[in-house]
Amino acid sequence: MNDERLLLAHGGGGRLSRELLRDVFLPRFRSGILARLEDAAVLEAPGERLAFTTDSYVVHPLFFPGGDIGRLAVFGTINDLAVMGAVPRYLSCGFILEEGFERAVLERILDSMRGAATEADVEVVTGDTKVVERGKADGLFLNTAGIGAVPRGVELGADRIRPGDKVLLSGGLGEHGLAVLTQREGLKFRSEIRSDCAPIHRLCADLLRASAPGGIRFFRDPTRGGLAATLNEAAAGRPWGIRIEEEAIPLREDVRGLCEILGLDPLHIANEGKLVAVAAPGEADRILQAMRANPLGARGAIIGEVVEKPAGRVVLRSAVGGLRILDLPAGEPLPRIC
Amino acid sequence: MNDERLLLAHGGGGRLSRELLRDVFLPRFRSGILARLEDAAVLEAPGERLAFTTDSYVVHPLFFPGGDIGRLAVFGTINDLAVMGAVPRYLSCGFILEEGFERAVLERILDSMRGAATEADVEVVTGDTKVVERGKADGLFLNTAGIGAVPRGVELGADRIRPGDKVLLSGGLGEHGLAVLTQREGLKFRSEIRSDCAPIHRLCADLLRASAPGGIRFFRDPTRGGLAATLNEAAAGRPWGIRIEEEAIPLREDVRGLCEILGLDPLHIANEGKLVAVAAPGEADRILQAMRANPLGARGAIIGEVVEKPAGRVVLRSAVGGLRILDLPAGEPLPRIC
């Protein structure tokens, strides 16, 4: 047995699988539920209503400025729960490893996941590991599913949005996508752009607390496809549209510059720690204040509003006043960004 | 755009992702929750206690006699919930697809998943799709996570097992593993062996109903590593052991013959629709009767019992009376079996 690299048998359900679990996985996730090693975790239901979500992560490379696939997988699933207004509680992890993957790299990723789970106060309660032959995967793919508790009275959804509502964004766009891209391509820049990879559930909770009941209509985190995809998905088929003020969108100078050089639109690039919120007009200022009081929303801004026309579309008003349609991109300009 | 094969952009979160979702995924899973296309499904908690589990599926080939990766992914996760005594309710699906994967094959697998979900009465409520470059995955990897409701009073676990308890098995071993192997290797045999891939939650419920409270100590489905791994995992570190009667183990004649030819031990081969149950001595006959009354348990048998010695081990008594240790295999003899 080669201790340094994973073998097919580490995914086989036998002795090597058990050793991997005991020596590598369990010491990192100190969960009494996980440690029972049952086929499923048995949990007290965290509330009357649950949020349930899943995402697979295939980001390449596995490590990038500001994060790695493990942090991304923990926070990404937390954020999908958070934008439904839920308090994230439990995570599952499914690993698909390529034969020959370095055990030390797996350990580094697991350490990162443990740190992320602790930071966000969620518990990894169940998991699974498979190993496929060399050349049949790309190192490591990771799936997380998550369960959260939706507090009483929290009702969010694009169907609650009305003309006149305000659109808020919690900070600068494009940082995650560019961080992965520069790492992948080996690009060097004076100002290193780091992924914004972060858990936004506490930011969401702060905003919900600051708002009158129903004052927040909708949350979403603008990941794959960027802000453009998020807003277009919200507006598609609705009897209202969204108008965004280009000048109001927070953007780091180095992100703006790099996007110009590379010919990328920051509105199409994935983020991993940003929040889009749509708020009732009378609540927007108070919610913005709460957003800015949280470090993850310090650069938050009202970036636009919900308009009656053009219904179902997103338009962007440029600095000089011109309007253009902001379309759903055909695909992510940067594949394997998450 | 090539309609017949998947592109990277189908996993990009933009227009092509949305079309794939709308045209291929949604029509097959008629869930009002899924159709909302939120970042997480919002569900009524199905009970006070939940079971939560995940598994990734990398089976090769994707289709085999008696099943395919889609059925396997639905039933496998259902079975992991079922053996905790839970009623399976909700599933998530995460797809990792290789660029160039045939859309028609994806549709066939989704049809199969829909059929499986309907048959087992579970709802697919949330999902995710990623596409990686050609050569970076092996066609399709699939993750399912699941939530079930654990009924009041149901408490199962290896820590409840006591010496004198009986070990029941619901039917013949080795059928799933051999079906995949013969398909993979193109082996031809007169009697085609089909995977036993099936949802066992109703069988579990039948047994729980038939038993006095606490009469069932433990359920498990003997998947990767086979019956040997399942029993060894249960016994490891316990103050009791398990003695199995080789003659009592149900086994199809063609499975026995093929295993002999290939030099495989059917006790180490994965099953995907079988149940191991440990029952209190006074309840075992009644539970066996209930098992045999369910088509999935028609060939069920009491195959052994829990003994005081050797503690922590599993021993097998052969037809002529010899005892041998039944060890945990080092790895699955057949990689990528699920």
Side-chain angles (χ1 to χ4, degrees):
Chain A
M1 174 181 160
N2 182 339
D3 249 351
E4 303 303 316
R5 292 185 178 272
L6 294 185
L7 308 174
L8 277 176
H10 281 112
R15 191 167 43 78
L16 290 187
S17 288
R18 200 161 111 190
E19 284 173 12
L20 186 70
L21 194 60
R22 188 192 60 203
D23 300 343
V24 175
F25 285 83
L26 287 186
R28 287 179 169 80
F29 299 109
R30 290 201 199 82
S31 160
I33 301 167
L34 181 66
R36 288 180 60 88
L37 295 183
E38 302 283 8
D39 278 4
V42 174
L43 316 164
E44 298 300 313
E48 286 173 11
R49 281 188 308 158
L50 308 175
F52 179 36
T53 192
T54 192
D55 261 319
S56 296
Y57 295 85
V58 299
V59 64
H60 174 77
L62 297 174
F63 298 88
F64 45 82
D68 58 73
I69 191 171
R71 259 176 103 71
L72 202 60
V74 170
F75 293 157
T77 288
I78 284 174
N79 291 351
D80 281 348
L81 298 171
V83 295
M84 301 311 294
V87 180
R89 293 290 302 278
Y90 301 111
L91 293 188
S92 69
C93 304
F95 292 81
I96 298 174
L97 291 149
E98 184 185 2
E99 180 187 17
F101 193 75
E102 282 181 63
R103 180 170 160 153
V105 178
L106 175 61
E107 290 179 339
R108 207 174 134 203
I109 290 166
L110 288 168
D111 284 339
S112 170
M113 293 185 79
R114 174 189 39 191
T118 303
E119 183 182 332
D121 197 21
V122 296
E123 189 173 351
V124 175
V125 293
T126 188
D128 174 57
T129 304
K130 296 288 192 301
V131 182
V132 299
E133 305 90 330
R134 216 177 272 267
K136 298 298 185 187
D138 195 12
L140 167 64
F141 300 139
L142 184 44
N143 177 284
T144 45
I147 296 177
V150 184
R152 247 176 245 259
V154 171
E155 298 281 356
L156 304 173
D159 53 346
R160 297 178 172 265
I161 297 175
R162 298 285 174 269
D165 287 352
K166 302 294 182 188
V167 181
L168 289 80
L169 175 63
S170 66
L173 294 180
E175 294 156 26
H176 173 72
L178 290 186
V180 174
L181 181 70
T182 54
Q183 182 71 23
R184 187 188 301 166
E185 307 295 343
L187 303 175
K188 297 273 175 261
F189 298 93
R190 245 186 236 161
S191 159
E192 195 193 61
I193 296 169
R194 293 169 65 80
S195 169
D196 58 342
C197 183
I200 58 169
H201 58 306
R202 294 186 187 109
L203 176 62
C204 292
D206 288 354
L207 270 50
L208 285 167
R209 252 194 313 270
S211 159
I216 292 176
R217 319 292 203 189
F218 174 81
F219 280 151
R220 195 63 89 238
D221 59 327
T223 55
R224 273 186 292 180
L227 182 70
T230 295
L231 297 180
N232 270 287
E233 276 164 20
R238 307 285 174 187
W240 42 259
I242 296 173
R243 193 182 61 224
I244 297 296
E245 307 295 327
E246 194 164 27
E247 278 210 304
I249 297 173
L251 208 58
R252 283 168 58 118
E253 266 316 304
D254 50 3
V255 168
R256 188 190 308 275
L258 185 53
C259 280
E260 276 173 14
I261 292 169
L262 298 175
L264 294 170
D265 186 340
L267 276 60
H268 285 174
I269 300 182
N271 313 278
E272 290 290 344
K274 293 303 183 298
L275 175 66
V276 173
V278 178
E283 296 291 321
D285 286 335
R286 194 165 14 171
I287 291 167
L288 179 62
Q289 232 174 345
M291 185 179 261
R292 288 184 173 161
N294 183 308
L296 289 179
R299 300 188 61 211
I302 295 176
I303 62 166
E305 69 175 82
V306 179
V307 290
E308 295 198 347
K309 287 180 182 174
R313 306 303 300 258
V314 182
V315 294
L316 191 73
R317 185 151 66 182
S318 74
V320 294
L323 281 179
R324 69 171 172 95
I325 295 281
L326 181 64
D327 245 335
L328 191 66
E332 164 66 46
L334 311 172
R336 295 185 59 188
I337 212 69
C338 61
Chain B
M1 173 183 160
N2 182 339
D3 249 352
E4 305 302 317
R5 290 185 180 272
L6 294 186
L7 308 174
L8 277 177
H10 281 112
R15 191 166 45 77
L16 290 187
S17 288
R18 201 162 112 191
E19 285 173 13
L20 186 69
L21 195 59
R22 188 193 60 204
D23 300 344
V24 175
F25 284 84
L26 287 187
R28 288 182 167 79
F29 298 109
R30 291 201 198 81
S31 159
I33 301 167
L34 181 67
R36 288 180 58 88
L37 294 184
E38 302 283 7
D39 277 4
V42 174
L43 316 163
E44 299 301 314
E48 287 172 13
R49 283 189 307 160
L50 308 176
F52 178 37
T53 193
T54 192
D55 261 318
S56 295
Y57 295 85
V58 299
V59 64
H60 173 77
L62 297 173
F63 298 87
F64 44 82
D68 58 76
I69 190 170
R71 257 176 104 73
L72 203 59
V74 170
F75 293 156
T77 287
I78 284 173
N79 292 352
D80 281 347
L81 298 172
V83 294
M84 301 310 295
V87 181
R89 293 291 302 278
Y90 301 111
L91 293 188
S92 69
C93 304
F95 292 82
I96 298 174
L97 291 150
E98 184 184 4
E99 179 187 18
F101 193 77
E102 283 180 62
R103 181 172 160 151
V105 177
L106 176 60
E107 291 179 339
R108 206 175 135 201
I109 290 166
L110 288 168
D111 284 340
S112 168
M113 293 184 80
R114 175 188 39 192
T118 303
E119 182 182 333
D121 196 21
V122 295
E123 189 172 352
V124 174
V125 292
T126 188
D128 174 57
T129 305
K130 296 289 190 301
V131 183
V132 298
E133 305 91 331
R134 216 178 271 268
K136 299 297 184 186
D138 195 13
L140 167 65
F141 299 140
L142 182 45
N143 177 284
T144 45
I147 297 176
V150 184
R152 247 176 244 259
V154 171
E155 299 281 355
L156 303 174
D159 53 347
R160 298 179 171 264
I161 296 175
R162 297 286 174 269
D165 286 352
K166 302 294 182 187
V167 180
L168 289 80
L169 173 64
S170 65
L173 293 179
E175 294 156 25
H176 174 71
L178 290 186
V180 173
L181 180 71
T182 54
Q183 182 71 24
R184 187 190 298 166
E185 307 295 341
L187 303 175
K188 297 273 173 263
F189 297 93
R190 245 186 235 164
S191 158
E192 194 194 62
I193 296 169
R194 296 169 64 80
S195 169
D196 58 342
C197 182
I200 59 170
H201 59 305
R202 294 187 186 107
L203 175 61
C204 291
D206 287 354
L207 269 51
L208 285 167
R209 251 194 315 271
S211 161
I216 292 176
R217 319 292 203 190
F218 174 81
F219 279 151
R220 196 63 90 237
D221 59 326
T223 55
R224 274 187 290 180
L227 181 71
T230 295
L231 297 180
N232 271 285
E233 277 163 20
R238 307 284 173 188
W240 42 258
I242 296 174
R243 192 183 61 224
I244 297 296
E245 307 295 327
E246 194 165 27
E247 279 211 304
I249 298 172
L251 207 58
R252 284 168 56 118
E253 266 316 304
D254 49 5
V255 167
R256 187 189 308 273
L258 185 53
C259 281
E260 276 173 15
I261 292 168
L262 299 174
L264 294 170
D265 185 340
L267 275 60
H268 286 175
I269 300 180
N271 313 278
E272 292 289 345
K274 293 301 183 299
L275 175 67
V276 173
V278 178
E283 295 291 319
D285 287 335
R286 193 161 17 167
I287 290 167
L288 178 64
Q289 229 174 349
M291 185 179 260
R292 288 184 171 161
N294 183 306
L296 289 180
R299 299 188 59 211
I302 294 176
I303 61 165
E305 70 175 80
V306 179
V307 290
E308 295 197 351
K309 287 181 184 174
R313 306 303 301 258
V314 182
V315 293
L316 190 74
R317 185 153 64 183
S318 73
V320 292
L323 280 179
R324 68 172 172 96
I325 296 280
L326 182 64
D327 246 334
L328 192 65
E332 164 66 45
L334 311 171
R336 296 183 61 187
I337 212 69
C338 62

